[in-house]
């Protein structure tokens, strides 16, 4: 299956909140760009164009997070983390305290990237297991 076709065909604004509606049948797997196995983002690296939205979907039974590294976003770019936290510290604290930001099995998280550059992110509970990913945003 070609995930990139989803991004390419949908565009940025249109994909917001519609991830589950684009594949047709109600029983079909919603479209997404990055899936999650038990301890990895799949694929771990995606490339998009500025203005596009990346959709992550938890395709595993374990809960995961999508959490940007504080130093992993380009200058002038918005910090992003599932749960909507404004910093890596805040996201880590929330997860430790109450599993804040956890993406349950089959749930999605999405973020629209407007500033070109490289974004590095991770999953809080599985970071040490190597669950990290990269989004490269082209002009
Ligand atoms: Cu994880």
């Amino acid at each position: 299956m070609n995930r990139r076709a989803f991004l390419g065909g949908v565009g940025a604004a249109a994909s917001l909140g519609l991830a589950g509606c684009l594949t047709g049948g109600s029983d079909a797997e919603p479209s997404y760009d990055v899936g999650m196995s038990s301890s990895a983002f799949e694929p771990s690296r995606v490339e998009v164009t500025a203005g596009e939205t990346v959709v992550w979907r938890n395709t595993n039974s374990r809960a995961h997070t999508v959490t940007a590294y504080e130093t992993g976003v380009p200058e002038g770019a918005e910090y992003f983390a599932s749960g909507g936290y404004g910093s890596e510290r805040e996201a880590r604290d929330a997860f430790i305290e109450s599993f804040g930001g956890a993406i349950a099995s089959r749930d999605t998280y999405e973020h629209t990237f407007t500033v070109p550059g490289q974004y590095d992110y991770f999953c809080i509970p599985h970071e040490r297991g190597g669950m990290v990913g990269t989004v490269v945003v082209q002009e």
Side-chain angles (χ1 to χ4, degrees), residues 8-79:
V10 173
S15 70
L16 281 170
L18 296 177
C21 306
L22 299 170
T23 50
S26 57
D27 293 332
E29 285 283 297
S31 292
Y32 57 90
D33 303 296
V34 182
M36 303 175 200
S37 69
S38 60
S39 60
F41 294 106
E42 297 184 332
S44 62
R45 178 189 169 97
V46 291
E47 288 194 17
V48 300
T49 301
E52 285 187 319
T53 299
V54 173
V55 179
W56 285 264
R57 178 173 163 89
N58 187 350
T59 47
N60 185 253
S61 56
R62 307 168 86 177
H64 297 291
T65 74
V66 170
T67 308
Y69 283 109
E70 196 74 39
T71 56
V73 300
E75 206 173 313
E78 182 190 1
Y79 181 81

